[in-house]
Amino acid sequence: MSEIVRAPEGTIVIFVLGGPGSGKGTQCNKIVEDFGFVHLSAGDLLREEQRNPNSKDGDLINSYIKDGQIVPMEITVKLLSKKMRESKSNVFLIDGFPRKLDQAEYFGKNVVEPCLILFLDCDKEVMKQRLLKRGETSGRIDDNIETIEKRFKVFKEESLPVVEHYEKEEKVRKIPCNESVDEVYLKIRPIIEGLNK
Ligand code: ADP
Ligand code: C5P
Ligand code: MG
């Protein structure tokens, strides 16, 4: 696998964070439709790597995802860095990363610092219902009630401190996310539009 490379000058990164099922992927798709940024989902990249028969990390990734735990960051950062390097774009929407403080610090130091964090704030019960519904068709090994509960615990204990870290840098825009997809997006769109001003 290729190594981690610092992003060129002028690279813009927006992190989209939020609990499992808060709607990160859904809202990123809408942002891409309107603004054409490159969307990288850390979870999707890990699942793709897990399915790659030539990957030495497949079994390890599978066991972490199945248990709702956070995959060692070197693996995830390498996958993100590779996709960024292969892309012609210089604006990236990265969803589901960083999930842990060490990932945030490592990415900032070795790839690029984000300019904005969209934090999708959703009630736990709403997220749970969305994930159980998604689990009816997703085929994901972690969309079951046992793993969902573990993911909530990891989110609270390990991922929320990342949001607090960026709050101190005044980079976080918090979006309430219990409403419909379109209602949530109505709150996100002006924030993205405001980036160029
Ligand atoms: P995440 O990437 O944060 O885990 P997803 O975007 O995959 O979340 O959304 C989780 C599930 O909830 C999906 O099945 C999606 O279609 C659905 N969903 C996303 N946002 C909303 C919303 N605002 N209202 C209702 N359902 C939603
Ligand atoms: O974001 P998503 O819900 O797709 O993530 C699914 C799983 O992938 C997480 O529960 C975790 O096991 C793994 N993951 C990770 N590190 C990340 C993103 C996802 O370990 N930065
Ligand atoms: Mg997702």
Side-chain angles (χ1 to χ4, degrees), residues 25 41 95 134 140:
S41 157
D95 119 44
R134 186 176 74 183
R140 278 179 54 161

Side-chain angles (χ1 to χ4, degrees), residues 60-114:
L60 183 146
I61 294 171
N62 189 59
S63 70
Y64 274 81
I65 290 182
K66 200 171 171 185
D67 198 34
Q69 304 301 311
I70 295 166
V71 174
M73 69 169 172
E74 288 77 9
I75 295 177
T76 316
V77 177
K78 271 183 198 171
L79 293 171
L80 286 168
S81 170
K82 180 166 183 276
K83 288 282 180 193
M84 288 173 72
R85 211 147 15 91
E86 286 168 356
S87 167
K88 290 188 179 71
S89 175
N90 68 336
V91 188
F92 298 94
L93 204 53
I94 299 185
D95 119 44
F97 177 95
R99 284 281 226 281
K100 213 171 163 176
L101 272 176
D102 65 347
Q103 299 187 345
E105 279 157 16
Y106 189 81
F107 193 87
K109 221 175 257 170
N110 296 289
V111 184
V112 64
E113 284 290 350

Side-chain angles (χ1 to χ4, degrees), residues 16 23-30 39 95 120:
V16 181
K24 300 182 291 296
T26 304
Q27 294 299 329
C28 284
N29 290 341
K30 293 190 75 72
H39 170 213
D95 119 44
L120 307 194

Side-chain angles (χ1 to χ4, degrees), residues 89-163:
S89 175
N90 68 336
V91 188
F92 298 94
L93 204 53
I94 299 185
D95 119 44
F97 177 95
R99 284 281 226 281
K100 213 171 163 176
L101 272 176
D102 65 347
Q103 299 187 345
E105 279 157 16
Y106 189 81
F107 193 87
K109 221 175 257 170
N110 296 289
V111 184
V112 64
E113 284 290 350
C115 68
L116 170 71
I117 319 299
L118 293 177
F119 171 47
L120 307 194
D121 188 25
C122 196
D123 288 352
K124 190 172 161 182
E125 199 47 43
V126 174
M127 295 194 281
K128 191 194 281 186
Q129 293 313 320
R130 286 182 189 170
L131 291 174
L132 290 173
K133 180 103 190 88
R134 186 176 74 183
E136 291 170 11
T137 53
S138 68
R140 278 179 54 161
I141 50 169
D142 55 350
D143 278 348
N144 58 79
I145 191 65
E146 195 191 334
T147 313
I148 288 169
E149 291 296 349
K150 287 185 182 169
R151 290 159 72 197
F152 285 146
K153 187 167 186 289
V154 168
F155 172 67
K156 190 171 159 205
E157 291 174 2
E158 312 210 44
S159 306
L160 272 179
V162 174
V163 179

